[in-house]
Amino acid sequence: MKYINIVVFYQEEYEQLVKIHKDEGILLFELESKIEAIESEYVQVVEDRKRRAEEKRIREEQIYLMGRAAVTIQSFWKGFKVRQLIKSLKKKKKKGKGRRK
């Protein structure tokens, strides 16, 4: 009798453990499915962040280059205007000298 009681006890415990294992297996499957979905979203977010950072870097580089181009154009324009002014001043000096004589 004692042996039968022990066997029955362990059989019940085994059945409980099997049920727990089955329930946890189902839960594990559900959690793994959720993790796969979250991981795919995470990968998309990371790629989106990288793409946005690259776009921002390109925009900043373009702004920098446009600024340098504007400075170059302005310096050439200013030099041109100064040279024009110098030429006109030289012509006026020559005309002015000739009249005084």
Side-chain angles (χ1 to χ4, degrees):
M1 254 333 190
K2 185 176 180 184
Y3 176 73
I4 293 174
N5 288 338
I6 292 173
V7 170
V8 170
F9 172 76
Y10 284 124
Q11 183 64 32
E12 289 173 356
E13 185 178 0
Y14 172 76
E15 289 172 359
Q16 287 176 351
L17 291 174
V18 168
K19 183 179 183 275
I20 291 171
H21 182 328
K22 183 179 175 184
D23 293 343
E24 287 180 351
I26 293 170
L27 180 62
L28 176 65
F29 178 75
E30 292 172 357
L31 292 175
E32 285 176 342
S33 301
K34 289 180 183 179
I35 286 174
E36 288 176 9
I38 291 171
E39 282 180 339
S40 66
E41 288 178 27
Y42 175 75
V43 168
Q44 288 175 348
V45 168
V46 168
E47 289 174 355
D48 190 45
R49 284 182 182 172
K50 285 180 183 177
R51 183 183 51 81
R52 286 182 184 180
E54 181 66 18
E55 288 173 354
K56 182 180 178 183
R57 185 193 63 78
I58 290 171
R59 277 194 311 272
E60 288 174 352
E61 185 177 337
Q62 288 175 341
I63 290 170
Y64 172 75
L65 290 175
M66 288 174 62
R68 284 193 56 183
V71 168
T72 302
I73 291 168
Q74 289 170 359
S75 65
F76 276 106
W77 179 253
K78 187 175 181 179
F80 173 75
K81 294 304 275 180
V82 166
R83 285 188 297 276
Q84 270 187 338
L85 180 65
I86 290 172
K87 276 185 185 179
S88 68
L89 290 176
K90 282 183 180 180
K91 285 182 182 179
K92 285 183 181 179
K93 271 188 172 179
K94 287 181 181 179
K95 288 182 182 178
K97 287 184 179 178
R99 290 184 184 171
R100 288 184 182 173
K101 288 185 178 181

